[in-house]
Amino acid sequence: MGDKVKGLMMQYIEEMEGRSGRRPTKPVTFSMRLSERDHAKLVWLAKNLDIAKTPLAEELLKAAVDEAIEQYAGWASSDRPEDFVEEMERAIPPAPPQRAARSFGSRATSVSGTVARWKANHHGDTDGFYLKDGREIGFPPHRAAEVQDLFREGTAIEAVGEWHGERFHAYTIADTESGTRVEAHKPPRPGP
């Protein structure tokens, strides 16, 4: 990642110095929106590392931002870049304390896709939905009203849970665009 971050930062620094022949017309922004191919790469990497996609993407972005700051500090204060970084750290308000990340156990994984249609059990109660690729995401029927209020057919989601045969038993379901999240089912308690 280092060479790509360095190249990107050098491009912006050259624009700031006017060496590229054009001046930036808007502030630099970072976005989590990925092309379908880059999203597929992220999903592949997360699956192979056995980690949920969203925390992995957040960590990758944080690492890239830290590298970009180091590149910028070297340009802005080539004689004492560490002092420049310390000054930046003092200027930025501290992050609020975060709640501890919830652990779902070693069998938990994530599934991403687009809601295609709702699924009902043999009693006629909604207890899941199918993704466009045919995978089934399940949750208890007593959670159906909340899940259906938050997610519609066509919503891109990421679910965290476990596979039970062909059915994915969701602990949480999140709208990947808005970040809206619902607890679909309590995860099992870790063993002794």
Side-chain angles (χ1 to χ4, degrees), residues 6-76:
K6 183 177 181 177
L8 178 66
M9 287 307 298
M10 290 309 299
Q11 175 185 342
Y12 288 125
I13 289 168
E14 287 173 3
E15 287 178 1
M16 289 174 66
E17 292 179 333
R19 288 189 277 158
S20 69
R22 63 184 174 96
R23 301 293 290 168
T25 58
K26 61 182 182 179
V28 176
T29 59
F30 289 90
S31 175
M32 290 301 293
R33 184 169 301 278
L34 299 174
S35 68
E36 286 186 34
R37 178 152 172 77
D38 286 338
H39 180 260
K41 288 178 187 178
L42 179 62
V43 169
W44 180 90
L45 184 60
K47 180 180 177 186
N48 282 280
L49 293 173
D50 196 27
I51 185 171
K53 176 187 71 168
T54 301
L56 176 62
E58 289 172 354
E59 289 303 315
L60 290 171
L61 180 59
K62 288 175 190 173
V65 168
D66 288 343
E67 281 189 36
I69 288 169
E70 288 176 19
Q71 291 292 323
Y72 181 70
W75 169 80

Side-chain angles (χ1 to χ4, degrees), residues 3 28 30 37 48 73 92 103 128 131 137 148 156-157 164 178 190:
D3 289 340
V28 176
F30 289 90
R37 178 152 172 77
N48 282 280
I92 297 173
S103 172
L131 299 175
I137 307 297
Q148 287 182 301
I157 63 96
H164 292 203
S178 70

